Amino acid sequence: AASAEAAAETALSPPSSATAASFLPDLPAAPLPQRYVDLTRRLVADLRTAITTETAGADEFEVRRAAEPAKEAVKEWVGAYGRAASASSSSTSSTVIAVDGTPSHVAIQAALKTLGSFYGSKGQRARLDSATADAVLAALAAAEDGLPPPPQAGKSLKERLFGGGGE
């Protein structure tokens, strides 16, 4: 009788390594807000244009003209998504929390921190050195990789979802 009770107790108790989470399916991450995706794409494109213009040896006027859209995109992105989710909940929107820690958010923050450190130590008019430019461009590529693929131009929603289209 004692061995039957022990067997029943063993059968009814979960394995010691089992947790409630281990029984849940792996769910995909929540999709990123579309405004965040659009603004991050624009920021990546504008910063990349500004950096490649500068590293190509353009004169200061051309560099400043190419950098103006990037400057505006940085201001907008930082205003909307630059606050850390660890800030008090009253000052942090749910959208910021939804994107904080995502690969694209981390990469953009790294790129902006790198640029800020460079210009903070060298001055606003300093030319980017190749190591800094490469580090920022790599962070921008990582940010882009962390975003969902852009919509395929010229295809209907049905074609994008189910493929095909040519009958």
Side-chain angles (χ1 to χ4, degrees):
S3 65
E5 286 177 12
E9 187 176 310
T10 302
L12 294 176
S13 63
S16 61
S17 64
T19 64
S22 67
F23 295 106
L24 297 175
D26 287 332
L27 298 174
L32 294 170
Q34 191 59 48
R35 180 173 182 263
Y36 169 80
V37 171
D38 293 343
L39 183 54
T40 302
R41 269 203 188 99
R42 185 173 60 123
L43 175 62
V44 166
D46 290 348
L47 273 175
R48 186 177 286 137
T49 298
I51 291 169
T52 55
T53 300
E54 183 169 342
T55 58
D59 65 36
E60 186 176 351
F61 176 76
E62 290 177 72
V63 170
R64 288 186 176 275
R65 186 175 51 194
E68 191 59 35
K71 183 172 127 182
E72 295 305 316
V74 167
K75 284 180 185 177
E76 189 176 347
W77 192 93
V78 168
Y81 304 107
R83 298 176 301 259
S86 61
S88 69
S89 60
S90 63
S91 66
T92 304
S93 74
S94 60
T95 304
V96 173
I97 293 169
V99 300
D100 189 54
T102 62
S104 59
H105 192 260
V106 170
I108 290 291
Q109 286 184 320
L112 296 179
K113 183 177 180 180
T114 301
L115 285 170
S117 294
F118 177 83
Y119 289 119
S121 67
K122 308 277 186 192
Q124 303 180 29
R125 294 184 144 189
R127 288 273 190 180
L128 282 177
D129 57 54
S130 62
T132 302
D134 291 346
V136 173
L137 290 172
L140 295 177
E144 202 168 44
D145 289 345
L147 296 173
Q152 299 169 358
K155 290 193 173 186
S156 70
L157 178 60
K158 180 180 174 186
E159 291 170 327
R160 291 191 309 245
L161 292 175
F162 304 110
E167 302 193 51

